[in-house]
């Protein structure tokens, strides 16, 4: 299988430079205070790996996915980074965890966890594991950077055991819409055109279909929005450089100073808060999917219904008769 950092080249089918993403993540992991740029990963990691439901939404974390209070003997964290999910796992939920990331520095500086862990440097697009290996696969804020998301979902499904579960979180299509709009308007005004400065994201309408095509069933897909306030556009972009740098092949590396100043003014005018700060919105998709097993509940056979849609208006009467 291709090694960490493998890339199939630029183009519409491969929008991301995986070698660059590896360098970006390695650089971020070596910063003096990496935790300063990780508050969003911390919150989403807690939602995916914790015992309850993600904040403000109805999806479930690892603790909720356990069957009858049991544990997951072997779990895999795809694109683990420094361990944003692992730190929220306990011995009561997971017995052993394998962390996979493209960046070796992130794995070397992993956050401590009470469960035994093994680190593997590998590209999330090419998982180096056999079929039916893991009871649980988790992933938080990493899959939006893979070039072939349908293939990544199929690989995750492949390494799961029957009745295994995948719990993931990734950025959604409305992420950083304030920043994107401000930069585009400023470039159109000052330079007569614009280039993408924020990585492309998947639409929620496509997510369930992609998971289903990969073989997952009993799907749950929820969306959430996290809004962070900054002093201004320059602080937004500085913060993003520390954790979510764009690695698209068609990115524009530099912005003219006049364009940046215009974008900052547009940002504040269109989206600014009353206290002078500006908001940055991050849309999060939470997803849960199970790999089929004979023990799982199945839908009733076609034609087995005893009540038709035409009888729905009489449902109250039917229920009353049953009670009597």
């Amino acid at each position: 299988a291709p090694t960490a950092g493998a890339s199939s080249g630029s183009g519409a089918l491969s929008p991301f430079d995986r070698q660059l993403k590896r360098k970006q993540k390695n650089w971020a992991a070596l910063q003096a205070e990496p935790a300063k740029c990780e508050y969003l990963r911390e919150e989403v990691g807690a939602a995916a790996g914790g015992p309850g439901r993600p904040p403000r939404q109805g999806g479930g974390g690892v603790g909720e996915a356990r069957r009858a209070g049991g544990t997951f003997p072997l779990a895999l964290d795809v694109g683990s980074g420094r361990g944003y999910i692992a730190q929220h796992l306990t011995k009561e939920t997971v017995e052993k965890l394998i962390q996979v990331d493209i960046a070796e520095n992130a794995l070397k500086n992993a956050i401590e966890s009470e469960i035994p862990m093994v680190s593997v440097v590998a590209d999330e697009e090419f998982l180096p594991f056999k079929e039916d290996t893991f009871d649980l696969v988790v992933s938080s804020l990493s899959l939006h950077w893979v070039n072939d998301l349908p293939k990544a979902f199929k690989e995750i499904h492949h390494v799961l055991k029957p009745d295994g579960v995948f719990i993931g979180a990734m950025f959604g299509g409305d992420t950083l819409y304030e920043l994107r709009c401000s930069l585009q308007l400023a470039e159109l005004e000052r330079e007569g055109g614009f280039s993408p400065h924020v990585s492309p994201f998947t639409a929620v309408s496509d997510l369930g279909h992609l998971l289903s095509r990969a073989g997952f069933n009993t799907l749950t897909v929820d969306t959430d929005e996290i809004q962070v306030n900054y002093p201004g556009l320059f602080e937004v972009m500085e913060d993003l450089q520390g954790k979510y740098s764009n690695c698209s092949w068609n990115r524009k590396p530099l912005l003219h100073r006049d364009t940046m100043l215009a974008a900052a003014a547009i940002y504040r005018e269109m989206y600014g808060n009353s206290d002078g700060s500006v908001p940055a919105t991050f849309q999060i998709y939470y997803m849960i999917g199970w790999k089929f097993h004979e023990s799982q509940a199945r839908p009733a056979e076609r034609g087995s219904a005893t009540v038709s849609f035409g009888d729905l208006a009489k449902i109250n009467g039917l229920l009353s008769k049953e009670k009597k």
Side-chain angles (χ1 to χ4, degrees), residues 122-283:
D123 196 317
E124 300 95 319
E125 293 187 316
F126 308 97
L127 298 178
F129 305 105
K130 295 181 180 179
E131 185 178 6
D132 301 343
T133 298
F134 298 97
D135 305 279
L136 165 71
V137 176
V138 295
S139 181
S140 180
L141 302 186
S142 174
L143 293 175
H144 55 280
W145 278 313
V146 302
N147 278 313
D148 193 340
L149 188 58
K151 180 178 179 294
F153 283 153
K154 288 180 181 178
E155 292 226 350
I156 290 171
H157 184 271
H158 181 78
V159 301
L160 270 174
K161 292 180 180 179
D163 203 32
V165 60
F166 167 56
I167 299 176
M170 61 186 292
F171 285 120
D174 288 339
T175 295
L176 296 172
Y177 71 87
E178 304 99 336
L179 176 63
R180 284 184 288 173
C181 184
S182 300
L183 289 173
Q184 288 175 6
L185 289 175
E187 280 192 295
L188 283 171
E189 177 190 343
R190 299 301 173 95
E191 302 178 33
F194 66 88
S195 300
H197 298 282
V198 179
S199 297
F201 300 108
T202 303
V204 69
S205 57
D206 297 328
L207 199 54
H209 179 61
L210 292 176
L211 288 166
S212 180
R213 281 181 56 191
F216 291 101
N217 58 48
T218 319
L219 296 172
T220 300
V221 177
D222 286 315
T223 64
D224 190 14
E225 284 191 357
I226 300 174
Q227 192 175 89
V228 183
N229 292 322
Y230 294 87
L233 175 141
F234 293 98
E235 287 78 9
V236 174
M237 299 194 72
E238 181 182 3
D239 199 37
L240 292 175
Q241 184 181 12
K243 57 180 182 291
Y244 309 116
S245 298
N246 189 359
C247 64
S248 303
W249 285 105
N250 62 351
R251 68 194 179 279
K252 186 176 180 180
L254 296 173
L255 281 165
H256 296 117
R257 177 176 173 78
D258 287 348
T259 303
M260 289 288 289
L261 292 172
I266 292 171
Y267 203 139
R268 195 175 303 279
E269 178 66 25
M270 291 183 63
Y271 306 106
N273 299 315
S274 57
D275 63 358
S277 64
V278 296
T281 299
F282 298 87
Q283 185 180 38

Side-chain angles (χ1 to χ4, degrees), residues 38-103:
E38 293 177 350
Y39 49 85
L40 198 61
R41 290 187 179 279
E42 293 278 359
E43 180 171 347
V44 177
R53 295 176 179 271
R56 300 175 293 280
Q57 286 293 332
V62 171
E64 257 187 40
R66 288 183 297 161
R67 299 283 195 189
T71 62
F72 294 105
L74 185 60
L76 171 68
D77 187 349
V78 177
S80 62
R82 296 180 59 243
Y84 310 102
I85 292 181
Q87 62 179 318
H88 300 287
L89 301 176
T90 67
K91 293 179 180 178
E92 286 71 38
T93 55
V94 173
E95 296 177 22
K96 184 177 181 180
L97 177 70
I98 294 180
Q99 294 183 300
V100 167
D101 199 272
I102 198 173

